[in-house]
Amino acid sequence: MMLKWIKGRQSTVNTNATQQTMIRLLNQKNDLLLFRLLFLKAMQKHPEAFRSSFEHESRLTKRKFLRAYSGANILGAFIKTRLVGYAVFLTNKSPKVKHRACLYSLYTDENYRSQGTADSLIKAVIAHLEPSVQQLHLSVVTSNHSAIHLYEKN
């Protein structure tokens, strides 16, 4: 599978014979509201993978959620207009650690797994990083064997 990322433009990936996935930055209000729905779904289904709780995050008003995530580095994977996956990554501005970035959160809707979406999101994150970034850090729950396998192959 090939992924071509052009900064500031959309990227299209064929994940299987019938569906095409588009990966792009989520930087509009409507994008972030779609992200919120999928993020809350991920938290509800896999609470062990998050620092915060579903109860806390779901109580945030839309306004507070938008304020918290506006300006964040979030890539979304879309099939048609449906957000089916996301990757949240952080970069460092401090000169001492600007060579490091962190893949903070990665999720693919369970109905769209095993189609290469998560792999494409990781490749898009790597392609989107500044040239000065030499390390991409991440953490994963030890019981999440499919995620560990995904990260090891990338």
Side-chain angles (χ1 to χ4, degrees):
M1 172 184 329
M2 294 259 318
L3 171 67
K4 184 177 183 184
W5 177 268
I6 302 170
K7 194 171 186 176
R9 293 181 47 197
Q10 297 173 354
S11 174
T12 303
V13 178
N14 286 318
T15 54
N16 65 33
T18 60
Q19 297 180 340
Q20 205 172 56
T21 302
M22 180 184 62
I23 297 177
R24 64 177 174 80
L25 278 171
L26 303 183
N27 54 11
Q28 302 295 317
K29 180 180 177 179
N30 289 342
D31 291 342
L32 293 175
L33 293 175
L34 290 174
F35 165 69
R36 180 178 188 254
L37 293 174
L38 192 56
F39 179 71
L40 290 174
K41 180 179 180 178
M43 290 189 93
Q44 200 167 27
K45 290 192 174 283
H46 305 283
E48 73 283 356
F50 294 89
R51 293 180 193 173
S52 187
S53 69
F54 171 79
E55 292 74 21
H56 171 76
E57 295 290 331
S58 64
R59 281 194 304 256
L60 290 177
T61 64
K62 288 180 183 178
R63 185 177 179 181
K64 285 184 180 178
F65 185 88
L66 290 171
R67 192 175 325 130
Y69 285 93
S70 291
N73 295 308
I74 307 170
L75 291 174
F78 289 85
I79 294 180
K80 296 185 180 173
T81 59
R82 183 182 183 98
L83 180 66
V84 300
Y86 66 79
V88 181
F89 61 102
L90 308 170
T91 56
N92 293 296
K93 304 299 180 205
S94 173
K96 282 188 162 184
V97 291
K98 71 179 184 177
H99 66 284
R100 293 186 208 154
C102 177
L103 179 58
Y104 183 75
S105 183
L106 177 75
Y107 181 75
T108 302
D109 186 296
E110 58 196 13
N111 298 316
Y112 296 91
R113 292 184 182 163
S114 301
Q115 298 179 26
T117 304
D119 188 59
S120 296
L121 281 164
I122 291 171
K123 286 178 172 56
V125 166
I126 292 168
H128 188 71
L129 295 173
E130 296 293 327
S132 62
V133 174
Q134 301 298 310
Q135 300 171 1
L136 180 60
H137 295 250
L138 59 90
S139 60
V140 63
V141 177
T142 57
S143 60
N144 192 341
H145 300 291
S146 59
I148 292 168
H149 175 72
L150 173 71
Y151 297 142
E152 286 176 340
K153 77 177 190 176
N154 279 292

